[in-house]
Every structure is written in structure tokens, then in C-alpha cells.
Amino acid sequence: MSDPAQTSEPETTPAPAPPHGVNLRRGADAIERAWGRALRWLERRDWDEGATLMVFGALVGLVTGLTVFGFYRLIDLANLVFIRLPASRLVRIAHALYQPVLTAAGLWGAWFVVRRSRVPDGQNVPDVQLAVAKRDGNISSRPVVARTVAAAITLGSGGSAGSEGPVAVLGATVGSALGRRLRFQPRHLKILVGCGAAAGIAGAFNAPFAGAFFALEEVLGSFSVGAFSPVVIASVVGALTVRPLLGGHSFFRVPSYAEPHPVISALLYPVLGLACGMVSALYSRMYLRAPEISRRLPGPDWVRPIVGGVLTGVIILLTGGLLAGNGHLALPQQLFGELAWYTLLGICFAKIIATVITLGFGGSGGVFTPTLVIGAALGGGLGVLMSILVPGHIVHPAAWGLVGMAGMVAGATRAPLTAIFMVFEMTDDYNFIVPLMIVAVVAYTTAKRFAPHGLYDGWLAQKGEHISHGVDLAVMDGLQVRDALDEDVRPVTPDATIDRLVAAAAATRHGVIPVVEEDGALVGVISHHALREALVVRGELGGVVLAEDLAEPADSLRQTQTLREALAAMNARGLDALPVVEPEDGVTRFAGLISRARVLEAYERALTSAV
């Protein structure tokens, strides 16, 4: 009988399991292959890029909504550790006295997370604006995760900050990560970043339209047709995703009131707009100066968050806990005119100081939500004061508190449309539309007069960055009109007939037709609108009307002016192209046209060469 050991098959050693990184790469490759098949499927169905962006905008909205829910649960965990557990083990008075210590511990914890993770300064809304303008929408995920954890600790421990900044950045990071992984073009990647920011704001505030306008006005700086639809869809999906998870939360009870004298009331609202503009300018200046003041404190860096936390906790203690929060936006009803006017104004400035200290001394978070609280207290306080000074129940303090929120947001963030839609969606009351518009516009104009920068663009300006409407103004200042000049332009002479003008309009790619004398002197430009009006009466006056009759004087540009000046001139005149002249032999001769399209082409070339 043979030995079983000799007849049995030799044992095989199992192959070692692939490393975890290999599995991740295989998963990523599988996703890319699936994405390639999806693209081919879309190509076979002849989907345009707009439809594709809307589909992925909805996907970004869904994922962002889930991350917003997770962020709020992280805040709840921090609040449990720093606030609720100590409160359950201390008597009420002792816990109130320990509030500054607990808030200091939270700010130190947030500072430690950022410091240990070696996160650079940023990961906020202005940083997202910078990524859209200069980095083609590329946002690094790891620093954002660390900053999000720090923000949750700050908010949960009672720090005076907002949740809107972290959720907007989280959403923008989701859009950027998805777009980069699926290899979207840079211009599409920027739109996905805006989709994520919109979904984050919409989910946090339960306000889809405000989220969309925030992304378009602040993040993308553009209301282009290509971006509008995906951003709106992402915003709606984000709000719908968060709503069943956190509930259709209401931030406050909207007071019911009758407006007996709407005309007189409308005449008084500009007073509130002026006040909001001046206070928001003060708020912006203090916020931008706080880090510098913090750096002047003696001692090691870790002392600063402790000092800031103690000061913030003391302010919360002195205001009777009215400014204490748990990260979820819930405006106390007392802010809307239910306290003495001087108490409400004191709360307004106390909230400014607490927010400036929290974010300037090591805490993380947003500035949008504190701005709403400041505006409610300011508007409520002034409303109570005006109701005393103006008899007849004309002024309603609660209404002034609601409208004051929009005024502060418009002045501090320089985003009036977002401010109007945000408060309107919170109230869902058309009685507020006209007051919101009046106060937001007046506050925005006043704030620009008293402070050169708001909360967002001021942060960028301190870094040497100047971003406006999604464009890096520093690059625009470095380029001249000659860099975008279109010299291949065929002008018409002053005696050109309508038939020649129609032919010239058909041959040009610009929105204006230059009229130039034989010696090269510029007479003016003819817009297509003026040409259309001339065509209406072509049968009666076709042989009488000449180019010089239709030409309108146009403030021309010089080749040495900057592209930033050229864009400002086009915006001021409402034209898409302007003539460029150059003095020669004592005569200012026509040199060509500069258009918005050529300006953007030169801007894109400059950015590409700088990378």
C-alpha cells in the first residue's frame, strides 16, 4: 500500500493578497473604464455637453447633500463632547462658568487638527474662488477634510462661526474630485465646482435658489447659460437630499404683520440699508485685521486659540447664552425686536467681536451665518428704535430684523442677489421683496464706499490676489489692449449706404461696425441695434441714410491701456466691442477693435503660459 503522503497532490501556497493600494488602483481603473463606456453611450445618443453637465450636476448635488449631513453629524459629536456631556455632570451655574474653558479647549483642538495636518491657510470660499479663476477648478481634497474636521470642532464647542463656508467648500471639493477623476475639461470642471458649492449652501440653509445664486455670483462669478442649468439642478438636488435627513428645518418663526403705510415704510428702509452698509464695512475691516492682531500676541502659537476661546466664551456668557450655538442655524426669536433696542445693538457688536476673535485666533468656519445673526440683531434694534421715534405703528421691528439680514450679507460679502434670495426663501413672503431689494442695494453701495473689500475679496487681497467675476484681475492688469487687438477689421466710410452696411455686418464677427474717414480718423461706431432700426425704414430712406448718420461717438481705447480698463469701459457702455485708436502724424487713426471674446482669449493664453 502506498503512502498517502506520497500519493496526495502537493499542497500549493496561496498567493498573497494584493496590497490595499493595488486594490484602490484597480477600483479607480474600473471606474475610468465604466466612465469611458458611459461617454460612448452618451455619444451614441447624441447628448450635448449641457445635458451631460446637468446629469453630473445632479450627481454632485446628491453626493454633496450626503456630505453635508455627515458634516452636521460631526458637529453634533463635537457638541456632545465639549458642551452636552460637561453640562450633564455640572450644575447649571458651574457649567456657565466653565463655558469659556470648554470653548477654549474646542478652539485649541481645531487649531491642533489644522497644525498637525500641515494644512495651508485657506480651504474657504475665497480659496474656491481662487481655484476657479487660476487653477481651473482643481481643489485638493486632503486639506479640505482636515479643515472640515476643525470647523466641526469649532462649531460644536460653541465658537462663533458659520457652517456655510465648510459645506460650500466640501461641495466644491466633491465637484472638483469627480470632475478630475472623470477627466472633464477645465471649463466643465469649474461648473462642477460651482454645482458642489451650490448644493452645499442649498442643503445647509434649505434654500435651493439662494444656493444657486451664491455659486453663480460668488464662486463662478458668471451667470452664463452653460453654468446656470447644472448649478440650479445641483442646488435643488442638494436641498432635496438633505431635507429628509435633517428635516425641513426652519430657522425662525416668521412674524405675521400688516403693512399699513408701505410708501412711508419704503422711505425709511434706506436708513436701515445705510446702517447695514456701515456696520458691514466695520465687520469686514475687523475680520481682516484679526489675524494680524493675533500674531502680535506674545508666547507660542498654541496660546492664541486658547486666548480666543476664552474671550469668545466670556462674550457668550455676558450675552446670557443668546449667541451660543451648536452649529445648526437657529436664530433666536428675541433678535427680531423682542428686546430693548440698545440690548439688540449690543448683541450685534458682540457677535461681530466674537466672530472676529473665533476665526482670527485659530478657529475654523464660515462667516455667512454670523453675518445673518449680526444683521438680525442690527435690524431688530434699529426697528425698535424707529418704532419709538416714528409713531403710528409704521415700523415693524420684526420686519426690520429680517430685512437687516439681507443688508448685512449684501454689504459684507458683496453678493446682493444671494442676500435677497436667501432671506426671501427663509421667509417665503412676498411682502419682503421690495424692502429686501432696497436695503440690499443701499447696503452694498454704502459698504463699498466705507471699505475697499468685503469678507471674501478682502481675504484674497491680503494674499495678493484680485479676483472678480471669475477672472484674475492681476493678470488683466498685466496685459494691454494691444495683446487682444483685432486688426483684421474692415471699417466703412462715412458715405456708406445701408446696403454696404448690411454687407459689412454680415462679414464681421463683432457687434459693431467702425466708421472711419479716408485718412484713418475714427468717426464712430454703428451698433447692430442701430442698423436694425435703419433697416425698418429702408424702403423710405434707404438711399438717404448713410453711415455717418447712424454712427455714434464711442470713447475709444489706446493700445497701452490694460485689459482690465478695456473690460470696465465695455461694461460701462454696454458694448461687446470698442474701437482702438493710435495717434499718428497729429491724427488719431483707427487701429482695430477689441472685443470681450478677444480679451478672454488673451487672458486664457496668459494663464496657460504661466502654468
Side-chain angles (χ1 to χ4, degrees):
M1 181 178 293
S2 61
D3 188 353
Q6 296 178 353
T7 58
S8 61
E9 296 182 0
E11 296 182 1
T12 58
T13 304
H20 182 63
V22 174
N23 289 331
L24 289 178
R25 285 194 297 272
R26 289 177 178 173
D29 293 340
I31 292 175
E32 289 189 6
R33 288 194 297 271
W35 169 237
R37 289 193 295 269
L39 280 180
R40 290 190 291 272
W41 182 84
L42 292 175
E43 290 171 357
R44 288 195 298 271
R45 280 148 183 81
D46 197 26
W47 279 27
D48 60 14
E49 63 181 23
T52 304
L53 283 174
M54 284 188 282
V55 170
F56 282 94
L59 178 60
V60 170
L62 174 65
V63 177
T64 299
L66 297 176
T67 60
V68 169
F69 174 71
F71 174 65
Y72 278 111
R73 285 293 172 260
L74 193 60
I75 294 175
D76 292 337
L77 176 61
N79 186 253
L80 174 66
V81 173
F82 287 97
I83 302 298
R84 284 181 286 164
L85 281 180
S88 64
R89 287 166 171 76
L90 296 171
V91 296
R92 186 171 184 178
I93 297 178
H95 179 259
L97 296 176
Y98 270 102
Q99 174 72 50
V101 177
L102 298 174
T103 304
L107 257 65
W108 183 87
W111 171 87
F112 179 77
V113 168
V114 173
R115 181 66 175 267
R116 185 64 181 270
S117 303
R118 298 181 181 178
V119 174
D121 194 17
Q123 298 80 51
N124 50 16
V125 173
D127 202 23
V128 173
Q129 294 175 326
L130 189 63
V132 169
K134 298 188 70 172
R135 301 197 297 265
D136 289 332
N138 288 290
I139 302 174
S140 181
S141 301
R142 190 188 65 81
V144 171
V145 172
R147 184 72 68 173
T148 301
V149 173
I153 295 173
T154 301
L155 294 166
S157 61
S160 181
S163 61
E164 94 296 332
V167 296
V169 176
L170 264 179
T173 305
V174 169
S176 178
L178 179 64
R180 283 185 286 114
R181 194 63 196 171
L182 300 181
R183 299 178 182 176
F184 274 85
Q185 299 178 13
R187 61 191 180 94
H188 294 160
L189 181 60
K190 295 178 183 180
I191 294 176
L192 290 182
V193 168
C195 290
I201 294 294
F205 290 97
N206 194 22
F209 282 107
F213 276 92
F214 177 86
L216 294 168
E217 189 175 22
E218 284 291 342
V219 176
L220 298 178
S222 170
F223 288 87
S224 64
V225 176
F228 190 84
S229 296
V231 167
V232 169
I233 289 175
S235 185
V236 172
V237 172
L240 293 177
T241 302
V242 175
R243 189 172 297 172
L245 298 174
L246 295 179
H249 44 289
S250 177
F251 307 114
F252 44 77
R253 179 177 55 84
V254 179
S256 60
Y257 70 95
E259 192 71 74
H261 301 287
V263 176
I264 299 177
S265 181
L267 293 176
L268 293 176
Y269 274 119
V271 176
L272 177 58
L274 286 170
C276 289
M278 290 187 287
V279 173
S280 62
L282 174 66
Y283 177 32
S284 300
R285 288 180 177 273
M286 292 178 63
Y287 169 75
L288 296 174
R289 284 291 305 278
E292 179 184 348
I293 296 174
S294 172
R295 285 191 293 268
R296 292 179 181 177
L297 289 178
D301 292 344
W302 58 266
V303 173
R304 297 169 189 166
I306 295 177
V307 173
V310 170
L311 292 176
T312 303
V314 169
I315 293 173
I316 293 175
L317 183 62
L318 293 178
T319 56
L322 197 62
L323 298 182
N326 57 4
H328 298 270
L329 176 60
L331 301 182
Q333 193 69 28
Q334 298 95 314
L335 297 180
F336 299 94
E338 295 186 2
L339 299 173
W341 65 269
Y342 48 84
T343 302
L344 288 171
L345 294 183
I347 290 173
C348 163
F349 291 104
K351 185 64 175 177
I352 291 176
I353 296 172
T355 304
V356 166
I357 292 175
T358 297
L359 298 178
F361 283 66
S364 297
V367 293
F368 200 102
T369 306
T371 305
L372 291 174
V373 177
I374 295 166
L378 175 63
L382 292 179
V384 172
L385 179 60
M386 293 297 290
S387 67
I388 298 173
L389 298 177
V390 181
H393 301 287
I394 294 175
V395 177
H396 299 273
W400 277 50
L402 293 169
V403 178
M405 294 192 298
M408 277 299 301
V409 170
T413 66
R414 309 294 166 90
L417 287 178
T418 300
I420 293 169
F421 277 94
M422 176 68 71
V423 179
F424 172 68
E425 281 195 280
M426 288 180 177
T427 60
D428 197 22
D429 189 343
Y430 285 94
N431 287 324
F432 290 102
I433 287 292
V434 174
L436 286 173
M437 291 181 176
I438 294 173
V439 173
V441 171
V442 173
Y444 172 75
T445 306
T446 305
K448 292 185 68 175
R449 173 66 179 82
F450 286 95
H453 301 290
L455 298 173
Y456 295 152
D457 60 338
W459 186 89
L460 288 170
Q462 288 184 335
K463 311 298 179 186
E465 304 288 352
H466 300 277
I467 307 298
S468 178
H469 300 292
V471 174
D472 182 9
L473 297 182
V475 175
M476 303 297 281
D477 284 331
L479 296 174
Q480 294 183 334
V481 168
R482 62 164 53 94
D483 298 319
L485 180 64
D486 185 1
E487 298 177 314
D488 187 19
V489 178
R490 297 181 180 178
V492 297
T493 56
D495 59 351
T497 62
I498 291 183
D499 289 335
R500 288 177 56 191
L501 292 177
V502 171
T508 185
R509 54 184 174 274
H510 300 294
V512 297
I513 305 171
V515 181
V516 179
E517 297 277 7
E518 293 291 343
D519 61 356
L522 177 69
V523 176
V525 295
I526 302 174
S527 66
H528 285 183
H529 176 71
L531 182 59
R532 282 196 300 269
E533 290 183 345
L535 288 174
V536 174
V537 294
R538 182 179 184 180
E540 303 175 2
L541 304 175
V544 179
V545 177
L546 301 177
E548 59 183 348
D549 301 318
L550 300 177
E552 301 176 0
D555 294 336
S556 55
L557 298 168
R558 300 294 179 94
Q559 294 194 43
T560 55
Q561 290 183 261
T562 66
L563 291 190
R564 182 177 180 180
E565 293 174 322
L567 271 182
M570 283 186 261
N571 291 334
R573 293 157 183 77
L575 295 174
D576 289 330
L578 284 176
V580 180
V581 297
E582 192 67 25
E584 181 182 344
D585 298 332
V587 179
T588 304
R589 302 184 185 279
F590 174 73
L593 288 175
I594 183 172
S595 63
R596 294 180 190 273
R598 299 277 297 194
V599 168
L600 292 178
E601 287 174 6
Y603 171 75
E604 293 290 345
R605 286 197 303 270
L607 287 184
T608 303
S609 62
V611 174

